[in-house]
Amino acid sequence: MGTTTRRNASAMKMVGALLALYRQEAGLTQRSLGERFVIGEQQIASIEQGRRPLKPDLAEQLDELLGTKGALSVALSRMPEVDLIPLWAEEFLDREREAIAISSYENQVLPGLLQTEAYAWAVFRSRVPVYDEDTIARLAAARIERQGILQGKEPPITCFVVWEPVVHAPFGGRQVWTEQLRHLRACSELPGLMLQVLPLDRASHASLDGPFVLLETPDHQRLAYTENQRGSQLIADPDEVGILTQKCAMLRSQALTPEDTRDLLDRLLGEQ
């Protein structure tokens, strides 16, 4: 898969403000405009507030509906570009930012929302082909910025199940690993956050097919996200999301309780 550059946040707000202006001049509410495109009031509001990028195909349709003679499409094409973000991950990041509930299973590295900056650097440094230092710095900073959703006034309900070898793997060296364990232990005490370790000694478990993330949007749509070596997909099909929801429920029952997980982290930290 290729990469694209993530749009400048200020420019996104400018395009969103243009959309709001043209919508109001057309006598439409966010709800009525969203219904025209079957995308919902919340998505229109997010675009207008600069929290979600306006996609080129939607910009063209809006220009036609609002009679703006291509103004939105031109503004979108002239936006300044910053920060390398995979094209196939951009929609997931937008949905994650707004989610009211997040559940995930990881078996290779710790979830991005729980990584320290030094751990994130170690993960990005492991990439092949290698990133240069400037790119790693931007990606690590963006990953840490994502974690702001856990500290907001109304953070999402989150559940993280992590395979036990991941918490033993000293990515970045002993110092980075110890710092990461301390951060995990602190995160495990956050309100609304559940951290569970899936023990290595289980004879089987429900997700041998690999990691995944489940999201619930503010309008209660349920989505799933999966990645592989060269790409990813955001899944909206209810049947497919339902299967992964069943896997998640089974994994939570197979994993250590949050209390036993904290005890495991305490033991690991005590060995340092």
PDB file of all heavy atoms in Angstrom, residues 192-223:
ATOM      1  N   GLY A 192     -12.698   3.439  33.588  1.00  0.00           N
ATOM      2  CA  GLY A 192     -13.252   3.033  32.300  1.00  0.00           C
ATOM      3  C   GLY A 192     -12.300   2.270  31.410  1.00  0.00           C
ATOM      4  O   GLY A 192     -12.643   1.946  30.277  1.00  0.00           O
ATOM      5  N   LEU A 193     -11.074   1.965  31.890  1.00  0.00           N
ATOM      6  CA  LEU A 193     -10.101   1.224  31.086  1.00  0.00           C
ATOM      7  C   LEU A 193      -9.871  -0.141  31.710  1.00  0.00           C
ATOM      8  O   LEU A 193      -9.580  -0.243  32.908  1.00  0.00           O
ATOM      9  CB  LEU A 193      -8.779   1.994  30.995  1.00  0.00           C
ATOM     10  CG  LEU A 193      -7.730   1.445  30.021  1.00  0.00           C
ATOM     11  CD1 LEU A 193      -6.859   2.582  29.474  1.00  0.00           C
ATOM     12  CD2 LEU A 193      -6.830   0.378  30.652  1.00  0.00           C
ATOM     13  N   MET A 194      -9.989  -1.175  30.901  1.00  0.00           N
ATOM     14  CA  MET A 194      -9.775  -2.541  31.368  1.00  0.00           C
ATOM     15  C   MET A 194      -8.609  -3.151  30.594  1.00  0.00           C
ATOM     16  O   MET A 194      -8.626  -3.209  29.360  1.00  0.00           O
ATOM     17  CB  MET A 194     -11.036  -3.384  31.154  1.00  0.00           C
ATOM     18  CG  MET A 194     -10.928  -4.818  31.680  1.00  0.00           C
ATOM     19  SD  MET A 194     -12.456  -5.766  31.389  1.00  0.00           S
ATOM     20  CE  MET A 194     -13.634  -4.812  32.318  1.00  0.00           C
ATOM     21  N   LEU A 195      -7.579  -3.560  31.312  1.00  0.00           N
ATOM     22  CA  LEU A 195      -6.412  -4.194  30.709  1.00  0.00           C
ATOM     23  C   LEU A 195      -6.334  -5.636  31.194  1.00  0.00           C
ATOM     24  O   LEU A 195      -6.346  -5.892  32.405  1.00  0.00           O
ATOM     25  CB  LEU A 195      -5.140  -3.438  31.088  1.00  0.00           C
ATOM     26  CG  LEU A 195      -3.811  -4.067  30.646  1.00  0.00           C
ATOM     27  CD1 LEU A 195      -3.727  -4.131  29.116  1.00  0.00           C
ATOM     28  CD2 LEU A 195      -2.628  -3.285  31.221  1.00  0.00           C
ATOM     29  N   GLN A 196      -6.265  -6.581  30.245  1.00  0.00           N
ATOM     30  CA  GLN A 196      -6.191  -7.999  30.582  1.00  0.00           C
ATOM     31  C   GLN A 196      -5.086  -8.667  29.762  1.00  0.00           C
ATOM     32  O   GLN A 196      -4.970  -8.420  28.556  1.00  0.00           O
ATOM     33  CB  GLN A 196      -7.517  -8.698  30.294  1.00  0.00           C
ATOM     34  CG  GLN A 196      -8.681  -8.218  31.152  1.00  0.00           C
ATOM     35  CD  GLN A 196      -9.968  -8.934  30.779  1.00  0.00           C
ATOM     36  OE1 GLN A 196     -10.796  -8.386  30.051  1.00  0.00           O
ATOM     37  NE2 GLN A 196     -10.138 -10.164  31.257  1.00  0.00           N
ATOM     38  N   VAL A 197      -4.308  -9.509  30.418  1.00  0.00           N
ATOM     39  CA  VAL A 197      -3.269 -10.276  29.737  1.00  0.00           C
ATOM     40  C   VAL A 197      -3.792 -11.682  29.465  1.00  0.00           C
ATOM     41  O   VAL A 197      -4.361 -12.333  30.352  1.00  0.00           O
ATOM     42  CB  VAL A 197      -1.979 -10.340  30.587  1.00  0.00           C
ATOM     43  CG1 VAL A 197      -1.007 -11.373  30.019  1.00  0.00           C
ATOM     44  CG2 VAL A 197      -1.319  -8.965  30.624  1.00  0.00           C
ATOM     45  N   LEU A 198      -3.636 -12.129  28.216  1.00  0.00           N
ATOM     46  CA  LEU A 198      -4.008 -13.494  27.839  1.00  0.00           C
ATOM     47  C   LEU A 198      -2.815 -14.405  28.123  1.00  0.00           C
ATOM     48  O   LEU A 198      -1.755 -14.241  27.511  1.00  0.00           O
ATOM     49  CB  LEU A 198      -4.376 -13.540  26.354  1.00  0.00           C
ATOM     50  CG  LEU A 198      -4.832 -14.885  25.801  1.00  0.00           C
ATOM     51  CD1 LEU A 198      -6.177 -15.287  26.399  1.00  0.00           C
ATOM     52  CD2 LEU A 198      -4.921 -14.831  24.278  1.00  0.00           C
ATOM     53  N   PRO A 199      -2.931 -15.352  29.060  1.00  0.00           N
ATOM     54  CA  PRO A 199      -1.764 -16.137  29.490  1.00  0.00           C
ATOM     55  C   PRO A 199      -1.165 -16.986  28.381  1.00  0.00           C
ATOM     56  O   PRO A 199      -1.874 -17.534  27.531  1.00  0.00           O
ATOM     57  CB  PRO A 199      -2.324 -17.021  30.615  1.00  0.00           C
ATOM     58  CG  PRO A 199      -3.597 -16.365  31.032  1.00  0.00           C
ATOM     59  CD  PRO A 199      -4.143 -15.700  29.803  1.00  0.00           C
ATOM     60  N   LEU A 200       0.165 -17.099  28.434  1.00  0.00           N
ATOM     61  CA  LEU A 200       0.885 -17.907  27.451  1.00  0.00           C
ATOM     62  C   LEU A 200       0.558 -19.388  27.600  1.00  0.00           C
ATOM     63  O   LEU A 200       0.599 -20.141  26.625  1.00  0.00           O
ATOM     64  CB  LEU A 200       2.391 -17.684  27.624  1.00  0.00           C
ATOM     65  CG  LEU A 200       3.334 -18.489  26.728  1.00  0.00           C
ATOM     66  CD1 LEU A 200       3.083 -18.182  25.257  1.00  0.00           C
ATOM     67  CD2 LEU A 200       4.789 -18.190  27.091  1.00  0.00           C
ATOM     68  N   ASP A 201       0.204 -19.823  28.805  1.00  0.00           N
ATOM     69  CA  ASP A 201       0.027 -21.257  29.036  1.00  0.00           C
ATOM     70  C   ASP A 201      -1.365 -21.767  28.669  1.00  0.00           C
ATOM     71  O   ASP A 201      -1.696 -22.920  28.940  1.00  0.00           O
ATOM     72  CB  ASP A 201       0.342 -21.608  30.500  1.00  0.00           C
ATOM     73  CG  ASP A 201      -0.554 -20.885  31.499  1.00  0.00           C
ATOM     74  OD1 ASP A 201      -1.492 -20.183  31.067  1.00  0.00           O
ATOM     75  OD2 ASP A 201      -0.302 -21.008  32.719  1.00  0.00           O
ATOM     76  N   ARG A 202      -2.186 -20.933  28.042  1.00  0.00           N
ATOM     77  CA  ARG A 202      -3.488 -21.436  27.578  1.00  0.00           C
ATOM     78  C   ARG A 202      -3.284 -22.414  26.423  1.00  0.00           C
ATOM     79  O   ARG A 202      -2.473 -22.168  25.521  1.00  0.00           O
ATOM     80  CB  ARG A 202      -4.382 -20.284  27.117  1.00  0.00           C
ATOM     81  CG  ARG A 202      -4.968 -19.443  28.246  1.00  0.00           C
ATOM     82  CD  ARG A 202      -6.249 -18.765  27.779  1.00  0.00           C
ATOM     83  NE  ARG A 202      -7.250 -19.741  27.369  1.00  0.00           N
ATOM     84  CZ  ARG A 202      -8.133 -20.288  28.213  1.00  0.00           C
ATOM     85  NH1 ARG A 202      -8.145 -19.954  29.476  1.00  0.00           N
ATOM     86  NH2 ARG A 202      -9.013 -21.174  27.767  1.00  0.00           N
ATOM     87  N   ALA A 203      -4.034 -23.500  26.434  1.00  0.00           N
ATOM     88  CA  ALA A 203      -3.899 -24.509  25.382  1.00  0.00           C
ATOM     89  C   ALA A 203      -4.459 -24.011  24.057  1.00  0.00           C
ATOM     90  O   ALA A 203      -4.052 -24.473  22.982  1.00  0.00           O
ATOM     91  CB  ALA A 203      -4.608 -25.800  25.795  1.00  0.00           C
ATOM     92  N   SER A 204      -5.412 -23.071  24.099  1.00  0.00           N
ATOM     93  CA  SER A 204      -5.970 -22.471  22.885  1.00  0.00           C
ATOM     94  C   SER A 204      -6.622 -21.158  23.289  1.00  0.00           C
ATOM     95  O   SER A 204      -6.852 -20.890  24.471  1.00  0.00           O
ATOM     96  CB  SER A 204      -7.003 -23.388  22.220  1.00  0.00           C
ATOM     97  OG  SER A 204      -8.129 -23.540  23.068  1.00  0.00           O
ATOM     98  N   HIS A 205      -6.937 -20.330  22.275  1.00  0.00           N
ATOM     99  CA  HIS A 205      -7.698 -19.115  22.555  1.00  0.00           C
ATOM    100  C   HIS A 205      -8.470 -18.713  21.309  1.00  0.00           C
ATOM    101  O   HIS A 205      -8.320 -19.298  20.238  1.00  0.00           O
ATOM    102  CB  HIS A 205      -6.796 -17.981  23.066  1.00  0.00           C
ATOM    103  CG  HIS A 205      -5.796 -17.460  22.083  1.00  0.00           C
ATOM    104  ND1 HIS A 205      -6.130 -16.620  21.052  1.00  0.00           N
ATOM    105  CD2 HIS A 205      -4.453 -17.666  21.989  1.00  0.00           C
ATOM    106  CE1 HIS A 205      -5.038 -16.318  20.356  1.00  0.00           C
ATOM    107  NE2 HIS A 205      -4.023 -16.942  20.901  1.00  0.00           N
ATOM    108  N   ALA A 206      -9.292 -17.676  21.420  1.00  0.00           N
ATOM    109  CA  ALA A 206     -10.311 -17.377  20.407  1.00  0.00           C
ATOM    110  C   ALA A 206      -9.833 -16.559  19.230  1.00  0.00           C
ATOM    111  O   ALA A 206     -10.600 -16.342  18.294  1.00  0.00           O
ATOM    112  CB  ALA A 206     -11.491 -16.654  21.061  1.00  0.00           C
ATOM    113  N   SER A 207      -8.577 -16.089  19.234  1.00  0.00           N
ATOM    114  CA  SER A 207      -8.153 -15.244  18.114  1.00  0.00           C
ATOM    115  C   SER A 207      -6.793 -15.651  17.561  1.00  0.00           C
ATOM    116  O   SER A 207      -5.866 -14.843  17.489  1.00  0.00           O
ATOM    117  CB  SER A 207      -8.127 -13.771  18.521  1.00  0.00           C
ATOM    118  OG  SER A 207      -7.992 -12.941  17.392  1.00  0.00           O
ATOM    119  N   LEU A 208      -6.683 -16.885  17.151  1.00  0.00           N
ATOM    120  CA  LEU A 208      -5.460 -17.347  16.507  1.00  0.00           C
ATOM    121  C   LEU A 208      -5.247 -16.665  15.166  1.00  0.00           C
ATOM    122  O   LEU A 208      -4.147 -16.705  14.606  1.00  0.00           O
ATOM    123  CB  LEU A 208      -5.499 -18.868  16.325  1.00  0.00           C
ATOM    124  CG  LEU A 208      -5.544 -19.693  17.619  1.00  0.00           C
ATOM    125  CD1 LEU A 208      -5.697 -21.174  17.297  1.00  0.00           C
ATOM    126  CD2 LEU A 208      -4.300 -19.461  18.462  1.00  0.00           C
ATOM    127  N   ASP A 209      -6.292 -16.039  14.614  1.00  0.00           N
ATOM    128  CA  ASP A 209      -6.171 -15.332  13.342  1.00  0.00           C
ATOM    129  C   ASP A 209      -5.468 -13.986  13.473  1.00  0.00           C
ATOM    130  O   ASP A 209      -5.167 -13.353  12.464  1.00  0.00           O
ATOM    131  CB  ASP A 209      -7.550 -15.113  12.710  1.00  0.00           C
ATOM    132  CG  ASP A 209      -8.186 -16.413  12.268  1.00  0.00           C
ATOM    133  OD1 ASP A 209      -7.437 -17.356  11.952  1.00  0.00           O
ATOM    134  OD2 ASP A 209      -9.427 -16.498  12.255  1.00  0.00           O
ATOM    135  N   GLY A 210      -5.240 -13.516  14.685  1.00  0.00           N
ATOM    136  CA  GLY A 210      -4.479 -12.283  14.835  1.00  0.00           C
ATOM    137  C   GLY A 210      -5.235 -11.160  15.520  1.00  0.00           C
ATOM    138  O   GLY A 210      -6.385 -11.325  15.963  1.00  0.00           O
ATOM    139  N   PRO A 211      -4.607  -9.975  15.586  1.00  0.00           N
ATOM    140  CA  PRO A 211      -5.169  -8.837  16.319  1.00  0.00           C
ATOM    141  C   PRO A 211      -6.326  -8.168  15.583  1.00  0.00           C
ATOM    142  O   PRO A 211      -6.490  -8.318  14.381  1.00  0.00           O
ATOM    143  CB  PRO A 211      -3.976  -7.884  16.458  1.00  0.00           C
ATOM    144  CG  PRO A 211      -3.104  -8.209  15.298  1.00  0.00           C
ATOM    145  CD  PRO A 211      -3.263  -9.676  15.050  1.00  0.00           C
ATOM    146  N   PHE A 212      -7.106  -7.387  16.335  1.00  0.00           N
ATOM    147  CA  PHE A 212      -8.205  -6.619  15.760  1.00  0.00           C
ATOM    148  C   PHE A 212      -8.612  -5.548  16.759  1.00  0.00           C
ATOM    149  O   PHE A 212      -8.250  -5.588  17.937  1.00  0.00           O
ATOM    150  CB  PHE A 212      -9.400  -7.512  15.419  1.00  0.00           C
ATOM    151  CG  PHE A 212      -9.972  -8.251  16.599  1.00  0.00           C
ATOM    152  CD1 PHE A 212     -10.961  -7.676  17.396  1.00  0.00           C
ATOM    153  CD2 PHE A 212      -9.530  -9.522  16.920  1.00  0.00           C
ATOM    154  CE1 PHE A 212     -11.488  -8.343  18.478  1.00  0.00           C
ATOM    155  CE2 PHE A 212     -10.045 -10.204  18.027  1.00  0.00           C
ATOM    156  CZ  PHE A 212     -11.029  -9.618  18.806  1.00  0.00           C
ATOM    157  N   VAL A 213      -9.388  -4.579  16.267  1.00  0.00           N
ATOM    158  CA  VAL A 213      -9.935  -3.508  17.106  1.00  0.00           C
ATOM    159  C   VAL A 213     -11.420  -3.385  16.818  1.00  0.00           C
ATOM    160  O   VAL A 213     -11.845  -3.483  15.659  1.00  0.00           O
ATOM    161  CB  VAL A 213      -9.240  -2.155  16.824  1.00  0.00           C
ATOM    162  CG1 VAL A 213      -9.826  -1.058  17.720  1.00  0.00           C
ATOM    163  CG2 VAL A 213      -7.737  -2.248  17.015  1.00  0.00           C
ATOM    164  N   LEU A 214     -12.201  -3.177  17.850  1.00  0.00           N
ATOM    165  CA  LEU A 214     -13.627  -2.918  17.720  1.00  0.00           C
ATOM    166  C   LEU A 214     -13.916  -1.497  18.188  1.00  0.00           C
ATOM    167  O   LEU A 214     -13.379  -1.059  19.216  1.00  0.00           O
ATOM    168  CB  LEU A 214     -14.448  -3.897  18.567  1.00  0.00           C
ATOM    169  CG  LEU A 214     -14.339  -5.380  18.206  1.00  0.00           C
ATOM    170  CD1 LEU A 214     -15.057  -6.223  19.258  1.00  0.00           C
ATOM    171  CD2 LEU A 214     -14.932  -5.646  16.831  1.00  0.00           C
ATOM    172  N   LEU A 215     -14.745  -0.777  17.446  1.00  0.00           N
ATOM    173  CA  LEU A 215     -15.114   0.592  17.789  1.00  0.00           C
ATOM    174  C   LEU A 215     -16.627   0.719  17.825  1.00  0.00           C
ATOM    175  O   LEU A 215     -17.333   0.087  17.031  1.00  0.00           O
ATOM    176  CB  LEU A 215     -14.579   1.590  16.757  1.00  0.00           C
ATOM    177  CG  LEU A 215     -13.082   1.639  16.494  1.00  0.00           C
ATOM    178  CD1 LEU A 215     -12.801   2.614  15.349  1.00  0.00           C
ATOM    179  CD2 LEU A 215     -12.326   2.061  17.746  1.00  0.00           C
ATOM    180  N   GLU A 216     -17.125   1.570  18.744  1.00  0.00           N
ATOM    181  CA  GLU A 216     -18.522   1.970  18.720  1.00  0.00           C
ATOM    182  C   GLU A 216     -18.575   3.476  18.576  1.00  0.00           C
ATOM    183  O   GLU A 216     -17.967   4.207  19.358  1.00  0.00           O
ATOM    184  CB  GLU A 216     -19.254   1.550  19.997  1.00  0.00           C
ATOM    185  CG  GLU A 216     -20.743   1.889  19.950  1.00  0.00           C
ATOM    186  CD  GLU A 216     -21.504   1.413  21.181  1.00  0.00           C
ATOM    187  OE1 GLU A 216     -20.927   0.665  21.993  1.00  0.00           O
ATOM    188  OE2 GLU A 216     -22.681   1.811  21.325  1.00  0.00           O
ATOM    189  N   THR A 217     -19.271   3.974  17.554  1.00  0.00           N
ATOM    190  CA  THR A 217     -19.323   5.397  17.249  1.00  0.00           C
ATOM    191  C   THR A 217     -20.391   6.083  18.114  1.00  0.00           C
ATOM    192  O   THR A 217     -21.212   5.411  18.737  1.00  0.00           O
ATOM    193  CB  THR A 217     -19.655   5.622  15.767  1.00  0.00           C
ATOM    194  OG1 THR A 217     -21.020   5.235  15.528  1.00  0.00           O
ATOM    195  CG2 THR A 217     -18.730   4.811  14.863  1.00  0.00           C
ATOM    196  N   PRO A 218     -20.386   7.425  18.151  1.00  0.00           N
ATOM    197  CA  PRO A 218     -21.395   8.136  18.940  1.00  0.00           C
ATOM    198  C   PRO A 218     -22.836   7.818  18.536  1.00  0.00           C
ATOM    199  O   PRO A 218     -23.739   7.926  19.369  1.00  0.00           O
ATOM    200  CB  PRO A 218     -21.059   9.614  18.684  1.00  0.00           C
ATOM    201  CG  PRO A 218     -19.600   9.613  18.388  1.00  0.00           C
ATOM    202  CD  PRO A 218     -19.363   8.348  17.608  1.00  0.00           C
ATOM    203  N   ASP A 219     -23.050   7.454  17.270  1.00  0.00           N
ATOM    204  CA  ASP A 219     -24.406   7.076  16.863  1.00  0.00           C
ATOM    205  C   ASP A 219     -24.618   5.563  16.946  1.00  0.00           C
ATOM    206  O   ASP A 219     -25.526   5.008  16.342  1.00  0.00           O
ATOM    207  CB  ASP A 219     -24.720   7.590  15.453  1.00  0.00           C
ATOM    208  CG  ASP A 219     -23.725   7.100  14.415  1.00  0.00           C
ATOM    209  OD1 ASP A 219     -22.779   6.369  14.795  1.00  0.00           O
ATOM    210  OD2 ASP A 219     -23.879   7.447  13.230  1.00  0.00           O
ATOM    211  N   HIS A 220     -23.730   4.893  17.711  1.00  0.00           N
ATOM    212  CA  HIS A 220     -23.854   3.472  18.071  1.00  0.00           C
ATOM    213  C   HIS A 220     -23.674   2.517  16.886  1.00  0.00           C
ATOM    214  O   HIS A 220     -24.150   1.382  16.918  1.00  0.00           O
ATOM    215  CB  HIS A 220     -25.178   3.203  18.791  1.00  0.00           C
ATOM    216  CG  HIS A 220     -25.354   4.036  20.025  1.00  0.00           C
ATOM    217  ND1 HIS A 220     -24.545   3.912  21.132  1.00  0.00           N
ATOM    218  CD2 HIS A 220     -26.214   5.052  20.301  1.00  0.00           C
ATOM    219  CE1 HIS A 220     -24.904   4.788  22.049  1.00  0.00           C
ATOM    220  NE2 HIS A 220     -25.910   5.505  21.571  1.00  0.00           N
ATOM    221  N   GLN A 221     -22.975   2.988  15.860  1.00  0.00           N
ATOM    222  CA  GLN A 221     -22.567   2.071  14.801  1.00  0.00           C
ATOM    223  C   GLN A 221     -21.360   1.288  15.310  1.00  0.00           C
ATOM    224  O   GLN A 221     -20.459   1.844  15.947  1.00  0.00           O
ATOM    225  CB  GLN A 221     -22.189   2.831  13.535  1.00  0.00           C
ATOM    226  CG  GLN A 221     -21.758   1.902  12.392  1.00  0.00           C
ATOM    227  CD  GLN A 221     -21.278   2.650  11.163  1.00  0.00           C
ATOM    228  OE1 GLN A 221     -21.001   3.850  11.230  1.00  0.00           O
ATOM    229  NE2 GLN A 221     -21.171   1.958  10.048  1.00  0.00           N
ATOM    230  N   ARG A 222     -21.324   0.002  15.034  1.00  0.00           N
ATOM    231  CA  ARG A 222     -20.210  -0.842  15.456  1.00  0.00           C
ATOM    232  C   ARG A 222     -19.332  -1.171  14.255  1.00  0.00           C
ATOM    233  O   ARG A 222     -19.833  -1.623  13.226  1.00  0.00           O
ATOM    234  CB  ARG A 222     -20.721  -2.102  16.144  1.00  0.00           C
ATOM    235  CG  ARG A 222     -21.292  -1.816  17.522  1.00  0.00           C
ATOM    236  CD  ARG A 222     -21.887  -3.032  18.191  1.00  0.00           C
ATOM    237  NE  ARG A 222     -22.205  -2.762  19.590  1.00  0.00           N
ATOM    238  CZ  ARG A 222     -23.283  -2.121  20.016  1.00  0.00           C
ATOM    239  NH1 ARG A 222     -24.158  -1.682  19.129  1.00  0.00           N
ATOM    240  NH2 ARG A 222     -23.481  -1.914  21.303  1.00  0.00           N
ATOM    241  N   LEU A 223     -18.037  -0.941  14.421  1.00  0.00           N
ATOM    242  CA  LEU A 223     -17.063  -1.148  13.362  1.00  0.00           C
ATOM    243  C   LEU A 223     -15.930  -2.030  13.868  1.00  0.00           C
ATOM    244  O   LEU A 223     -15.693  -2.123  15.074  1.00  0.00           O
ATOM    245  CB  LEU A 223     -16.475   0.193  12.900  1.00  0.00           C
ATOM    246  CG  LEU A 223     -17.466   1.247  12.404  1.00  0.00           C
ATOM    247  CD1 LEU A 223     -16.758   2.590  12.259  1.00  0.00           C
ATOM    248  CD2 LEU A 223     -18.081   0.823  11.082  1.00  0.00           C
TER     249      LEU A 223
END
